[in-house]
Amino acid sequence: MQTELETIKENGLQQIAAAPDQKTLNQIKVKLLGKKGSITTTLRGIADLPVAERPVVGSLANQVRDQLTQALQTKLTDLETAAMNQQLAAEKIDVTLPGDHIPFGHPHVIQKIIDEIEDIFIGMGYQVLSGPEVEEEYYNFEMMNLPKDHPARDMQDTFYITKEILMRTHTSPMQARALETHDFSTGPLKMISPGVVFRRDTDDPTHSHQFHQVEGIVIDKHITMADLKGTLAAMTHALFGDKFAVRLRPSYFPFTEPSVEADITCMNCGGKGCPVCKGSGWIEVLGAGMVHPNVLKMAGVDPETYGGFAFGVGPDRFAMLKYGVNDIRDFYLNNLKFLTQFD
């Protein structure tokens, strides 16, 4: 039996040393030390030996098992190290190679215009407020002096969720919401509200069913039309340059009285007259006016004490004018070739 144990040890050590991978090594381990392995089978025969020989054979069997166990562990470590080295060699990176160019994104051109407008008005002491895009009809129309039977509603047909909830047609509802909550004992209300608006328009080069507006309002004592014109001039000069003049033309909006359309000098001809401005030398850019007393009354503000002006800016139209884009749909087609021009 001692000879058999020595033979098991020698053969086992040779097999362990020659094992090419961990799977083979595990199979050798089971063959040698498992429940049905060579060592276990041999140890079962000790009971048949004379009593005097049992301790000698048992001690030798333990030594052989310990030697094989140590050899298995050493070989396992060697195989793991070799596998890791092989993986590292296969996955090595040449850090001296140039890296891949990862392009940086940039704000959409419409968002850039909105950001510029916000910066201009924040510099003039305005706060920036945002309102719900899904709006109550009460705030969208009635609080803006547009009762249910008002014909001007036909110009702002939109998408209704229910009979009283709709996708807002303008950012003007924020006028009413701001007026309702503002505490005039702390000072005047000066705010702008940028956002998306929705109208059931047929998309064409100058119209879209979804576009952007920036609503602005100032309410205080002794506000005049001169304050409105000065504000609009400051904004347009900051956006387009000092060489562009601003003029106001009488117009009509239900929520302002008097109402005006604001024009700036045609960028294409510099005011000389061209096909772009239809020979007038001016291009219409926004609507504005003095806030209608009814709008103030419905928001709980005394029109005998307070007054002010409001205006609505179209960032999409400003972007078209500033960059010479002749089709508003180009802004929304996700054409990177087009959009990266404005980076």
Side-chain angles (χ1 to χ4, degrees), residues 237-288:
H237 290 164
L239 280 173
F240 303 111
D242 292 342
K243 63 181 180 179
F244 296 97
V246 177
R247 77 170 184 180
L248 303 181
R249 290 181 292 107
S251 185
Y252 168 76
F253 300 107
F255 29 82
T256 53
E257 180 61 38
S259 303
V260 295
E261 297 280 359
D263 303 332
I264 64 170
T265 307
C266 177
M267 299 177 183
N268 188 58
C269 65
K272 298 176 182 178
C274 68
V276 173
C277 60
K278 299 179 181 178
S280 68
W282 299 90
I283 292 183
E284 177 188 328
V285 292
L286 59 89

Side-chain angles (χ1 to χ4, degrees), residues 1-7 53 56-57 60:
M1 188 173 285
Q2 291 179 12
T3 302
E4 185 179 348
L5 287 170
E6 289 293 341
T7 301
E53 295 180 13
V56 177
V57 175
L60 178 61

Side-chain angles (χ1 to χ4, degrees), residues 131-207:
E133 294 176 9
V134 179
E135 184 59 275
E136 297 178 37
E137 185 187 46
Y138 176 71
Y139 283 100
N140 193 83
F141 289 131
E142 294 182 33
M143 289 288 282
M144 290 294 101
N145 202 32
L146 283 159
K148 292 185 182 297
D149 58 350
H150 200 292
R153 284 202 185 194
D154 294 340
M155 301 168 59
Q156 296 192 20
D157 195 11
T158 189
F159 306 97
Y160 278 80
I161 310 300
T162 70
K163 289 184 177 180
E164 297 181 353
I165 303 295
L166 49 75
M167 305 300 291
R168 67 182 179 186
T169 62
H170 46 191
T171 50
S172 299
M174 278 308 296
Q175 283 190 38
R177 291 183 178 274
L179 284 167
E180 281 184 332
T181 58
H182 184 72
D183 181 2
F184 284 95
S185 66
T186 62
L189 171 61
K190 298 173 66 178
M191 73 87 181
I192 60 169
S193 179
V196 181
V197 299
F198 309 85
R199 295 185 189 178
R200 199 170 58 82
D201 283 339
T202 301
D203 289 7
D204 61 31
T206 58
H207 295 86

